[in-house]
Amino acid sequence: MSDFYDALETRDPAAREAALMAALPGVVAQAQAHSSAAAELLAGVDPREVSSREALARLPVLRKSELLQRQRERRHGDPFGGFSAIGWTGLPRPRGARRVFQSPGPLYEPEGTAPDWWRTARALYAAGFRSGDLLHNSFSYHLTPAGSIMECGAHALGCAVFAGGVGNTELQLQAIAELRPQGYVGTPSFLKILLERAAEQDLPLPGFGKALVSGEACPPSLQAFFAGRGVQAYQCYATADLGLIAYETPARQGLVVDEGVIVEIVQPGTGEPVAEGEIGEVVVTTLNPDYPLIRFGTGDLSAVLPGRCPSGRSNVRLRGWLGRADQATKVRGMFVHPGQLAQLAQRHPGLGRLRLVVSGEPAAERLLLRAEAQEQGEGLAQQLAASVREVTKLRAEVELCAPGSLPNDGKVIEDGRRYD
């Protein structure tokens, strides 16, 4: 039996990149033709010219807040705000939807009819699931798409599914003991509860040996806890908007990017790609024609790991979740956000990393702009202080730092205020 879900996972990286870039113009054209929101956002863009990462990086980043705003504005005519290319009777796109979900906001997400619409079979396979297995699914089937995201992938893989959903711990534990599934999908915290409860009751769980977890952090210590109880747990990174983005392999060295998306790591607030290894926001373009999200900003921070995965998969790897890119904070009644730091960088070319440090107590905050610069003169510091006031309407001190001295952690606003 192969260690890989398909040949795409081990293809030459150059061949993969060529295939993705060859598909990109068609993705943009499809979005413009069948998604009225994308047509507005990409007005004037010639899809034939979007055939490289450089061209892709010139397109605007779509924020979830913008997606939600457009849905709210158009809710009575189109609950998807013009982003979906599928729907049902009465909508601009009257066919193609199999299910629809509601995430907090409320934000509506469609599901189409294609097999493995969310592309999670690949992650399940890497976690050890195989055709014929019974999978215990403890993700929610109610309102949000998490349960369906995993179930679609399981069915595409040939697995049977027990639709456990969330809660009802004792009933779910009874089902695991009696149905004897080969593995679990759900949050790591609920898997921990199930295993601890089984131990308390001295309840054997024969054959229950693998898991794909998501929705929460699963650090090595928790993976070791699971392994100590006979369960090998792997992580995947997926969202209700995009489906699978990346997944863990038996190598346990980062998360391998899925074959059906184009991932960029960009500077928070600017949308400009960072150098390989630098921490930035994960921005994803999906190749899904039913819900064509182009340069969708996840709001998550991560970085690309160098080299290939030891498992033999050749796609790029992410370090995993490293925090949130939206570092906006309120200072003296004024919001300060990463985009304003990007404006400072544009005003003063040649600067390296920037970090605005907020300290002190609420209503008596101190702002300090730390800026990497070759030039260390007082004149530059004064110019930067003036720019901070013009851009943020707040006064700040300036500290010039040596190039490369600020942390590579993706953070541009550091809130160190005391609230005690």
Side-chain angles (χ1 to χ4, degrees):
M1 187 175 293
S2 173
D3 291 333
F4 308 108
Y5 180 68
D6 58 22
L8 296 178
E9 294 185 345
T10 57
R11 57 182 162 168
D12 180 74
R16 175 185 293 107
E17 185 71 3
L20 290 174
M21 294 305 106
L24 190 53
V27 171
V28 175
Q30 162 75 11
Q32 291 175 321
H34 299 284
S35 163
S36 60
E40 292 177 20
L41 293 170
L42 303 176
V45 173
D46 184 345
R48 295 169 297 182
E49 296 180 356
V50 188
S51 58
S52 67
R53 287 185 179 267
E54 293 75 19
L56 180 63
R58 290 193 288 269
L59 302 183
V61 173
L62 171 63
R63 300 286 169 196
K64 181 169 285 195
S65 58
E66 184 175 2
L67 187 66
L68 178 58
Q69 179 182 349
R70 285 176 175 264
Q71 285 198 3
R72 285 173 173 168
E73 291 172 350
R74 308 180 187 192
R75 189 137 291 169
H76 296 295
D78 182 356
F80 299 118
F83 285 96
S84 178
I86 56 176
W88 53 85
T89 301
L91 296 188
R93 303 292 171 185
R95 290 181 177 82
R98 176 169 52 193
R99 297 185 181 97
V100 59
F101 301 97
Q102 184 194 77
S103 293
L107 190 68
Y108 294 103
E109 296 104 359
E111 177 185 294
T113 58
D116 195 17
W117 196 82
W118 307 90
R119 306 179 317 282
T120 48
R122 189 179 303 282
L124 289 164
Y125 194 93
F129 289 94
R130 297 294 183 268
S131 179
D133 285 350
L134 173 61
L135 183 153
H136 186 100
N137 188 0
S138 283
F139 275 120
S140 175
Y141 280 81
H142 176 62
L143 293 179
T144 61
S148 187
I149 287 174
M150 290 299 176
E151 183 169 290
C152 286
H155 287 165
L157 196 56
C159 297
V161 176
F162 176 77
V166 296
N168 300 301
T169 303
E170 294 302 328
L171 287 176
Q172 293 213 41
L173 191 58
Q174 179 183 355
I176 293 172
E178 295 177 352
L179 295 176
R180 301 188 179 187
Q182 278 67 46
Y184 164 98
V185 295
T187 63
S189 59
F190 191 62
L191 176 58
K192 186 172 186 289
I193 290 172
L194 290 171
L195 293 176
E196 288 176 335
R197 195 69 57 86
E200 291 171 3
Q201 299 176 15
D202 196 23
L203 183 67
L205 303 176
F208 193 64
K210 47 201 172 190
L212 181 65
V213 298
S214 191
E216 301 169 345
C218 187
S221 59
L222 189 52
Q223 289 182 323
F225 172 88
F226 295 143
R229 286 150 182 81
V231 178
Q232 295 298 321
Y234 295 88
Q235 304 175 76
C236 75
Y237 175 25
T239 75
D241 319 279
L242 300 159
L244 182 68
I245 299 173
Y247 58 98
E248 193 172 22
T249 75
R252 297 195 184 278
Q253 294 186 23
L255 304 178
V256 176
V257 170
D258 179 54
E259 299 293 331
V261 294
I262 299 171
V263 170
E264 302 169 89
I265 305 295
V266 308
Q267 179 69 36
T270 72
E272 297 179 4
V274 301
E276 183 172 326
E278 293 279 317
I279 295 175
E281 181 183 6
V282 179
V283 169
V284 181
T285 296
T286 174
L287 305 185
N288 184 347
D290 293 343
Y291 199 40
L293 299 179
I294 296 173
R295 298 206 84 203
F296 185 81
T298 64
D300 296 323
L301 292 175
S302 192
V304 171
L305 287 171
R308 291 196 185 190
C309 179
S311 71
R313 293 166 177 83
S314 58
N315 210 344
V316 298
R317 295 172 295 153
L318 303 180
R319 281 178 55 184
W321 188 79
L322 301 176
R324 291 292 294 171
D326 183 8
Q327 302 158 29
T329 188
K330 183 176 279 190
V331 180
R332 302 173 210 156
M334 303 290 292
F335 273 107
V336 183
H337 53 82
Q340 292 173 316
L341 274 292
Q343 292 179 43
L344 294 177
Q346 291 173 352
R347 288 187 176 209
H348 302 274
L351 295 178
R353 296 191 184 100
L354 299 176
R355 178 175 296 217
L356 188 65
V357 181
V358 187
S359 60
E361 299 177 357
E365 295 96 341
R366 173 176 176 251
L367 286 182
L368 172 66
L369 177 68
R370 305 186 68 203
E372 294 182 352
Q374 292 284 355
E375 177 187 340
Q376 295 290 313
E378 183 64 26
L380 176 59
Q382 291 176 351
Q383 293 171 20
L384 282 169
S387 292
V388 171
R389 187 169 187 189
E390 290 175 11
V391 170
T392 68
K393 312 306 179 189
L394 297 166
R395 294 183 182 274
E397 299 175 40
V398 173
E399 176 189 343
L400 299 179
C401 308
S405 61
L406 293 181
N408 172 26
D409 57 7
K411 186 176 291 187
V412 293
I413 299 176
E414 178 182 332
D415 193 343
R417 285 174 286 193
R418 300 190 303 272
Y419 293 92
D420 52 339

